[in-house]
Amino acid sequence: EDEDEDEDEDEDEDEEEEEEEESGHPDLPDLGLLPYEMDPYFDADMFFPLFAIDLTIKDKKVQFEPSLETMEETVLGLFDAITKSVEKISDIRGRVSSALASGHAAGFGDLHTVTADEGFIVESRSYIKGVLKYNSKGPNKLKASYEIYKELMSVDPDEYVEEWKMAFHTTAEYEQEILRLAALAEGVQKQSHDEVVYKMMRVSVLPIKKQLLDMAMFLRGKLLAQMMEETHDKNHYISERYTDIQARLQTEANNAEELNALKKFLASSVTELKTLQGSMDESSGVFDVLHHADYSIDEDDSSMMWETMSWPKSMSVVLRESEQRLQKDRVNFQDELRRDQALLYDELEAISAVTEGFAELGDIDLYDDRLMAIQDIEERMSIAREQAELYNSREELFGQKPTDYPQISLIQKGFDPFANLWKTCADFLRCKPQWMDGPFTNLDAEVIEGDVDKWYRGTLKTLKQLRGPPLEVATILKDRLAAFQEYIPLIVALRNPGLRDRHWDKLTDRIGIKVKADASFSVTRALQLELTKHMADIEEVSEYASKEFALEKTLDKMQSDWSGIEFEYMPWRETGTFVLKAFDETQVLLDDQIIKTQSMRSSPYIGAFEERVNAWNSKLILIQEISDQWMKCQGSWLYLEPIFGSEDIMQQMPTEGRLFKVVDTLWRKVMAKLDITAEVLIVGAEAELAKNLKEANKKLDTVQKGLNKYLEDKRLLFPRFYFLSNDELLEILSETKDPLRAQPFLRKVFEAIDKLEFQDDLQITAMFSVEKERVPFSEVMYPKGNVENWLGEVERIMRASVRQSYMDSNEAYSVENCDRKQWVKDWPAMTILAVDCTHWTKDSEQHIKDQTMTSWFQKNVDQLIDLTDLVRGELTNQERLTLGALIVIDVHARDVVQLLIDEEVKLPTDFEWVSQLRYYWEGGEVKVRMVQATLPFGYEYLGNQPRLVVTPLTDRCYMTLMGAMHLNLGGAPAGPAGTGKTETTKDLAKALAKQCVVFNCSDGLDYLAMAKFFKGLAASGAWACFDEFN
């Protein structure tokens, strides 16, 4: 037992040490962190906490009110106040001794009290702070235990309910969520006691419990209410559908069609009722959920629910009664159909008897009576035909075979000839008096001619089908129509809409009778004047009038076509003026009308309005001229405006600049007038505008010639400008003031130079390639003068710098025991390739002489292996590009050495060797040789570009082109597309460090463009590759 007690004491000591370590204050007593509800032996009455705080929710977070920080500040503030309150307390002895001699009183002052920086005070304050922190652990654990209800703290009730509503959850999902919220509420209740007592603090949990419980129950209530609302709406809809279905099924059918519609509705209702039953089952499930959740359902919702649930039972009765009624109605309607069909047969027999009587009817003068009888028969036939179709459709509804009614077609066939005859009689005999004696101006000759011709042909056809009195009527009608047809040419000629007073006068002179077809004139009057005897003259004058009328109508239409047509224009950039939009449709119309007008002028019928046509033709020609001059002026103005918008260009071309300003002012005035009116017929009819535009175009031509001469002078000073278009060259020349602004244009004249390195004083010290390779300039250079001058200097120093780089690189490579791996990283790519080729040529010739080609081949292989090892390591992008090109060259060099070994080459003059591309350093310059051709190395900076893999075909192309250049000739590689003709030519230019300008030819390549290129080539020494020249 003693040993156990010792062990217990040791354990107690260990626990005390741990607690001391946690508190940071070894002198602190055990303050009892556990609240009473977690410790059954804890007596709350033994402790009287100093502080009472609430646990609540604030800003959607669990917080103490007041906070523990506030409590700490308050306690420490009191401590500090106590410390400060005892400062400077007077020593009472000083007051007692005030009656004594002044010499004795001088020895007493203030009492010596504590200060805030005294060690004891600092330690005490720290101790109190530690006690407060130590006693905060229990409340903080309590606070953390409520963090699991963050969802209830941060939720927005309205958003929560809306999201649930929009997600269309099932009843089961609703029930699950409601149960979850109830569980949360229950969990909040059991989370802790309403008040938790600690030794120093009493924490009231009622505020946070109430907030969490209220939120959980509020959300739960919202979901239940939403379920009830949705279910009420659903039940209301179900009840309405049942009511509609019941009302429709209880409707009485008045005929077979309605009976069939009810039958179909009954069949479709069965399917819908099944769907409604499913919805009712869902509503019932919702009510179960609401019941289990003790949700209070109001009387309206409850009544609606029970009303809905009662529908299936009552609907089954309605369905049964509907089926019985429909069956009974079917029998009744079938009987009714048989009775109606019998009545139809009787009606058809009666109609047939009436139509047969028309075979005995004659007397053309009684056409009105006959027409009324025909219309009556046609109406009865129409009704009979509709009834037959109706009865057939009802037979199909009852599943019966449709009855045929041949009497209808037989009656119609026999009746049609009589109907056509009497209708034609009525139409003609009613119109004839109006045509003969009515005002002549009311006659439409085309309509009369068409109707009479139609009636005559119809009568001829009917004649073949008639017998007896109807045949006599048809014969009389035919004769009368034929007689009237003789008057039609006269009517047509005199009712010509083209006849004018001049034509009536001419006709009067020709026939000797005063004639004018006005309102008092008629066909009968024409017959009285015996005008039919003068038909030749009348038709001639009428035809002439028709021709003139056609021309006049054409002219009127042409002029009306221009109505509303305007010159369309738009603002042009930031110039403050406008330019015309394309007017292709207007141009097409203009061209078409000019052609038509020219044709009209040559017509023999133009005399009456020749002046009008000539005036219109002149206007169109003027519009055409103005349009052409306007578009020409606009094209030149658009081209020159940005050019002379540059102050540099204006200073270098003052004369042309002044001329352009004159044209520019005119242009702005002309375009401003379009704001007043832009109609083509108004603007295009100004002769002054045409004159001004012509003068403007002459000035612009002068400006253009001066500009071309100016550009030619610039190209002569810097020949590479020949390879640029005028627009590109002007873009460069417009940036002459600031050399830095010429940087973006460098690649247009130096293919590999992306930018130059400028110092603060504008000294140019280096050039950069597109691949960011830097090559320092070998000479000091400042960009002085015009851009063409200092670009020429850049070109010279570029070559000098590349040559210097070659010399320095060659010297570094020639050093004994040169580290080739490091050497390839230290110099620009093109000088590495050139020096490599130079030393390979020199070493190859030496090994040929010494007959040590095998060892030389092995050395080539070793160098390649060294390069591949480098490629596998860490390299910059520049170094990787350089090694890529070098490996291509060295692989070819290795293959050439192998070829020389295979061909057993003995001398450097053997063809297998001299046919290779070889580099020599002679007389301070690099020479490139192939067979007998020798060409100088151009020192054109090429940047860090890849090289073409050399194949036997590549070698043959090189050999041919080198030989051609050696003889001052050109080359024309030919072959299928995509085989590498252009790339091979460009790669040979790289090998010789020559500028190579590739030009993709098109139809626009003329002799002038070729001349410009040849000037540039002759002056710059560059190569040109005319791709797709054929």
Side-chain angles (χ1 to χ4, degrees):
E1 290 178 351
D2 293 339
E3 290 177 358
D4 292 340
E5 289 176 359
D6 294 339
E7 290 176 0
D8 292 340
E9 289 175 359
D10 293 339
E11 290 175 0
D12 292 340
E13 290 175 0
D14 293 338
E15 291 175 358
E16 289 174 2
E17 289 176 1
E18 290 177 1
E19 291 176 356
E20 289 172 359
E21 289 175 1
E22 287 182 4
S23 67
H25 295 275
D27 297 332
L28 289 180
D30 180 8
L31 298 178
L33 294 176
L34 292 176
Y36 65 83
E37 75 273 11
M38 299 176 68
D39 184 357
Y41 305 106
F42 182 79
D43 187 357
D45 295 335
M46 295 173 59
F47 296 96
F48 302 95
L50 293 174
F51 307 106
I53 59 176
D54 294 337
L55 190 62
T56 185
I57 298 172
K58 191 175 181 181
D59 298 330
K60 298 184 178 182
K61 294 179 182 178
V62 184
Q63 295 187 14
F64 288 112
E65 183 64 34
S67 66
L68 297 180
E69 291 77 9
T70 302
M71 186 179 71
E72 181 180 318
E73 290 172 3
T74 302
V75 173
L76 294 177
L78 287 171
F79 180 87
D80 294 338
I82 291 169
T83 304
K84 188 173 183 180
S85 67
V86 298
E87 291 180 0
K88 294 184 179 180
I89 297 177
S90 301
D91 193 332
I92 193 170
R93 290 175 296 175
R95 299 180 183 177
V96 172
S97 61
S98 59
L100 301 178
S102 60
H104 296 284
F108 302 97
D110 294 338
L111 288 173
H112 176 69
T113 58
V114 295
T115 58
D117 56 353
E118 207 167 310
F120 169 73
I121 296 300
V122 173
E123 290 177 5
S124 298
R125 193 177 193 280
S126 177
Y127 176 80
I128 292 172
K129 190 173 182 179
V131 170
L132 291 171
K133 183 177 180 182
Y134 189 75
N135 281 273
S136 298
K137 291 185 178 180
N140 279 328
K141 286 182 180 179
L142 178 63
K143 175 185 174 183
S145 69
Y146 278 87
E147 292 290 342
I148 61 175
Y149 302 107
K150 275 187 177 179
E151 173 193 354
L152 294 175
M153 303 176 201
S154 59
V155 68
D156 184 313
D158 294 333
E159 289 183 5
Y160 170 82
V161 174
E162 186 64 24
E163 287 175 3
W164 262 87
K165 184 177 180 180
M166 297 306 295
F168 301 104
H169 289 284
T170 63
T171 302
E173 290 171 336
Y174 266 103
E175 183 178 16
Q176 185 178 357
E177 181 68 6
I178 289 166
L179 291 174
R180 189 181 73 85
L181 291 171
L184 282 176
E186 186 178 355
V188 171
Q189 285 281 31
K190 296 179 179 180
Q191 187 67 23
S192 69
H193 283 264
D194 294 344
E195 192 173 67
V196 183
V197 179
Y198 297 91
K199 291 181 179 180
M200 182 176 283
M201 285 171 258
R202 183 187 301 273
V203 182
S204 175
V205 192
L206 280 174
I208 191 171
K209 276 191 172 185
K210 185 177 185 307
Q211 289 170 302
L212 294 175
L213 283 171
D214 288 348
M215 181 56 71
M217 298 311 293
F218 180 76
L219 295 178
R220 179 175 177 272
K222 280 283 188 180
L223 287 184
L224 289 169
Q226 183 172 301
M227 288 183 72
M228 186 68 257
E229 181 183 350
E230 291 178 356
T231 303
H232 179 88
D233 293 342
K234 184 186 293 184
N235 288 340
H236 186 266
Y237 170 76
I238 293 170
S239 185
E240 283 187 341
R241 284 307 300 147
Y242 268 105
T243 303
D244 294 342
I245 293 170
Q246 175 180 291
R248 183 75 175 89
L249 291 176
Q250 290 178 342
T251 304
E252 293 290 340
N254 297 315
N255 50 50
E257 287 74 26
E258 292 182 5
L259 178 68
N260 184 62
L262 276 174
K263 185 179 178 182
K264 290 181 178 178
F265 181 75
L266 178 62
S268 64
S269 297
V270 174
T271 303
E272 184 177 359
L273 289 172
K274 290 180 180 178
T275 304
L276 292 175
Q277 182 62 52
S279 299
M280 290 168 61
D281 293 341
E282 292 178 4
S283 297
S284 180
V286 171
F287 263 72
D288 290 342
V289 173
L290 296 174
H291 176 71
H292 292 141
D294 295 327
Y295 182 78
S296 177
I297 302 173
D298 61 30
E299 188 175 347
D300 289 342
D301 293 331
S302 181
S303 299
M304 178 60 69
M305 179 64 183
W306 291 115
E307 178 186 340
T308 305
M309 295 303 171
S310 66
W311 267 112
K313 184 177 181 180
S314 59
M315 184 55 68
S316 63
V317 176
V318 174
L319 290 173
R320 185 168 59 253
E321 292 176 350
S322 296
E323 289 176 355
Q324 293 172 354
R325 188 175 65 258
L326 291 177
Q327 188 61 33
K328 181 180 177 181
D329 288 345
R330 177 184 175 86
V331 175
N332 292 337
F333 286 130
Q334 285 178 325
D335 293 339
E336 182 183 340
L337 176 60
R338 284 190 289 272
R339 290 194 297 272
D340 290 341
Q341 287 177 319
L343 292 174
L344 178 59
Y345 281 122
D346 294 341
E347 172 66 9
L348 290 174
E349 289 179 3
I351 294 173
S352 179
V354 175
T355 57
E356 289 174 359
F358 270 87
E360 303 302 326
L361 297 178
D363 195 347
I364 194 172
D365 295 331
L366 299 176
Y367 64 85
D368 281 331
D369 296 338
R370 306 290 186 259
L371 183 62
M372 290 177 63
I374 284 171
Q375 290 173 345
D376 180 62
I377 291 173
E378 286 181 339
E379 185 176 352
R380 291 171 67 183
M381 284 294 294
S382 176
I383 294 172
R385 194 177 292 107
E386 291 174 0
Q387 288 178 337
E389 292 174 357
L390 177 63
Y391 299 157
N392 284 339
S393 68
R394 289 178 177 177
E395 286 174 326
E396 291 178 357
L397 293 178
F398 293 131
Q400 300 173 359
K401 183 179 179 181
T403 302
D404 191 16
Y405 299 95
Q407 300 94 324
I408 295 177
S409 58
L410 291 174
I411 293 171
Q412 190 68 50
K413 183 177 180 182
F415 176 66
D416 281 345
F418 303 117
N420 293 335
L421 171 64
W422 290 110
K423 285 180 182 178
T424 303
C425 285
D427 290 340
F428 174 62
L429 295 177
R430 286 174 178 175
C431 292
K432 184 179 177 183
Q434 300 174 11
W435 294 344
M436 294 296 293
D437 301 318
F440 200 78
T441 53
N442 292 345
L443 300 183
D444 190 327
E446 291 184 9
V447 173
I448 294 173
E449 186 176 20
D451 287 346
V452 172
D453 182 63
K454 178 183 67 176
W455 294 333
Y456 185 79
R457 286 185 286 105
T459 302
L460 289 177
K461 183 179 179 181
T462 306
L463 277 170
K464 301 174 184 178
Q465 302 170 331
L466 297 174
R467 298 289 182 273
L471 178 60
E472 295 174 2
V473 172
T475 303
I476 295 171
L477 177 62
K478 184 199 72 163
D479 294 341
R480 292 185 182 182
L481 286 168
F484 189 83
Q485 281 183 324
E486 295 178 1
Y487 309 147
I488 288 178
L490 178 63
I491 296 173
V492 170
L494 294 180
R495 277 300 294 146
N496 187 341
L499 288 170
R500 300 288 183 269
D501 289 343
R502 63 179 181 275
H503 301 120
W504 293 114
D505 294 341
K506 183 177 181 181
L507 182 60
T508 299
D509 294 340
R510 293 280 291 270
I511 65 176
I513 302 172
K514 184 168 181 59
V515 178
K516 186 172 183 180
D518 51 19
S520 63
F521 192 73
S522 66
V523 176
T524 301
R525 176 63 179 159
L527 296 176
Q528 291 173 353
L529 295 174
E530 296 182 341
L531 294 183
T532 52
K533 295 180 180 180
H534 306 284
M535 281 304 300
D537 292 329
I538 292 173
E539 287 180 343
E540 181 181 344
V541 172
S542 180
E543 182 182 358
Y544 196 92
S546 296
K547 300 290 186 181
E548 288 186 347
F549 184 61
L551 290 175
E552 189 176 8
K553 283 177 67 176
T554 301
L555 183 58
D556 290 340
K557 185 178 183 304
M558 285 196 297
Q559 291 179 337
S560 66
D561 286 345
W562 287 98
S563 177
I565 295 182
E566 297 181 343
F567 285 112
E568 294 184 8
Y569 57 96
M570 61 181 180
W572 183 246
R573 296 180 181 171
E574 304 299 327
T575 58
T577 185
F578 306 92
V579 294
L580 291 176
K581 293 183 180 179
F583 47 90
D584 296 338
E585 294 181 3
T586 305
Q587 188 62 52
V588 170
L589 178 63
L590 183 62
D591 294 342
D592 180 58
Q593 290 204 4
I594 288 175
I595 294 172
K596 284 183 179 179
T597 307
Q598 296 291 349
S599 175
M600 288 173 64
R601 293 179 66 197
S602 62
S603 172
Y605 306 103
I606 193 67
F609 34 87
E610 184 175 5
E611 290 185 10
R612 183 183 169 195
V613 172
N614 288 337
W616 180 247
N617 181 65
S618 299
K619 178 173 281 192
L620 292 178
I621 295 297
L622 181 59
I623 292 173
Q624 179 73 68
E625 182 181 3
I626 288 176
S627 299
D628 293 343
Q629 295 292 337
W630 207 336
M631 292 309 291
K632 180 182 177 183
C633 183
Q634 176 167 297
S636 300
W637 182 85
L638 287 174
Y639 174 67
L640 295 171
E641 193 277 332
I643 295 173
F644 287 96
S646 168
E647 293 183 7
D648 291 344
I649 299 295
M650 289 292 288
Q651 290 176 359
Q652 296 180 54
M653 302 179 64
T655 303
E656 289 79 4
R658 284 192 295 273
L659 274 177
F660 179 77
K661 283 298 181 184
V662 172
V663 176
D664 184 67
T665 302
L666 171 65
W667 176 264
R668 293 174 185 273
K669 287 181 180 179
V670 169
M671 297 309 295
K673 287 183 180 179
L674 291 182
D675 263 345
I676 302 172
T677 178
E679 286 194 30
V680 175
L681 287 184
I682 297 176
V683 178
E686 295 184 19
E688 186 66 24
L689 177 60
K691 178 182 176 183
N692 290 338
L693 289 174
K694 280 184 182 178
E695 190 64 31
N697 282 326
K698 288 181 181 178
K699 289 183 172 67
L700 289 175
D701 288 341
T702 303
V703 172
Q704 187 70 55
K705 289 177 182 177
L707 178 63
N708 291 336
K709 183 179 183 304
Y710 167 75
L711 296 179
E712 181 68 17
D713 293 341
K714 298 297 181 183
R715 288 184 170 115
L716 289 172
L717 292 171
F718 187 60
R720 294 192 182 210
F721 282 162
Y722 278 108
F723 307 132
L724 303 181
S725 67
N726 288 353
D727 293 343
E728 291 173 325
L729 179 53
L730 285 165
E731 198 172 2
I732 295 175
L733 295 175
S734 64
E735 305 293 352
T736 57
K737 284 188 176 181
D738 184 2
L740 294 175
R741 294 176 67 179
Q743 289 266 49
F745 308 109
L746 288 173
R747 288 199 64 194
K748 294 182 182 296
V749 289
F750 301 105
E751 183 180 354
I753 298 180
D754 184 53
K755 62 179 181 178
L756 299 172
E757 184 179 78
F758 285 87
Q759 302 302 321
D760 293 340
D761 59 352
L762 292 183
Q763 180 186 351
I764 301 176
T765 54
M767 55 187 170
F768 288 91
S769 71
V770 180
E771 302 81 21
K772 310 304 178 188
E773 181 182 67
R774 181 182 183 277
V775 178
F777 272 12
S778 60
E779 300 178 27
V780 175
M781 179 198 166
Y782 289 90
K784 295 180 181 178
N786 292 330
V787 65
E788 65 273 13
N789 296 325
W790 65 263
L791 282 179
E793 188 67 9
V794 168
E795 180 183 4
R796 183 187 68 79
I797 296 179
M798 171 194 72
R799 290 198 174 99
S801 300
V802 171
R803 181 175 179 277
Q804 186 63 47
S805 176
Y806 175 90
M807 294 169 61
D808 296 342
S809 175
N810 188 31
E811 183 179 347
Y813 193 79
S814 302
V815 174
E816 190 174 353
N817 298 323
C818 171
D819 184 359
R820 193 169 189 262
K821 288 184 178 182
Q822 184 59 41
W823 175 79
V824 298
K825 298 179 181 180
D826 294 342
W827 301 95
M830 68 171 293
T831 57
I832 290 173
L833 298 180
V835 170
D836 179 72
C837 290
T838 304
H839 280 269
W840 176 80
T841 301
K842 176 183 174 185
D843 293 344
S844 294
E845 289 190 350
Q846 187 60 47
H847 283 284
I848 290 172
K849 293 175 182 177
D850 297 343
Q851 289 299 300
T852 54
M853 293 301 290
T854 303
S855 61
W856 176 229
F857 174 79
Q858 187 57 46
K859 185 173 182 181
N860 276 262
V861 172
D862 293 341
Q863 288 179 342
L864 271 173
I865 292 173
D866 291 342
L867 294 180
T868 54
D869 290 340
L870 272 178
V871 170
R872 292 193 186 100
E874 292 293 329
L875 296 173
T876 64
N877 289 335
Q878 290 297 326
E879 293 166 350
R880 195 167 296 279
L881 286 170
T882 303
L883 289 176
L886 183 58
I887 288 174
V888 169
I889 298 298
D890 282 3
V891 166
H892 178 62
R894 180 205 61 191
D895 294 342
V896 169
V897 173
Q898 182 64 56
L899 174 67
L900 297 177
I901 294 172
D902 295 342
E903 297 294 330
E904 299 180 352
V905 172
K906 306 294 184 184
L907 297 171
T909 55
D910 286 354
F911 181 77
E912 286 76 9
W913 171 245
V914 297
S915 62
Q916 304 300 325
L917 194 66
R918 312 182 313 282
Y919 289 71
Y920 298 90
W921 176 251
E922 297 176 349
E925 298 294 341
V926 180
K927 305 287 186 181
V928 183
R929 293 195 174 99
M930 200 169 194
V931 192
Q932 293 181 335
T934 300
L935 295 177
F937 192 74
Y939 302 109
E940 176 78 18
Y941 179 56
L942 303 175
N944 195 353
Q945 299 182 18
R947 294 295 295 274
L948 200 64
V949 174
V950 182
T951 66
L953 178 60
T954 310
D955 275 333
R956 288 199 295 276
C957 287
Y958 283 1
M959 197 182 309
T960 305
L961 293 174
M962 287 284 288
M965 295 300 295
H966 182 70
L967 298 173
N968 297 322
L969 300 174
T979 51
K981 302 181 293 298
T982 302
E983 291 303 319
T984 300
T985 306
K986 287 167 61 180
D987 203 67
L988 180 58
K990 290 179 184 178
L992 295 174
K994 286 280 189 182
Q995 180 190 12
C996 183
V997 183
V998 178
F999 183 75
N1000 291 302
C1001 302
S1002 64
D1003 295 341
L1005 184 67
D1006 56 9
Y1007 71 97
L1008 294 174
M1010 290 296 292
K1012 188 179 81 167
F1013 256 96
F1014 286 150
K1015 283 182 183 178
L1017 297 176
S1020 68
W1023 287 8
C1025 181
F1026 295 98
D1027 210 1
E1028 306 295 339
F1029 188 77
N1030 58 331

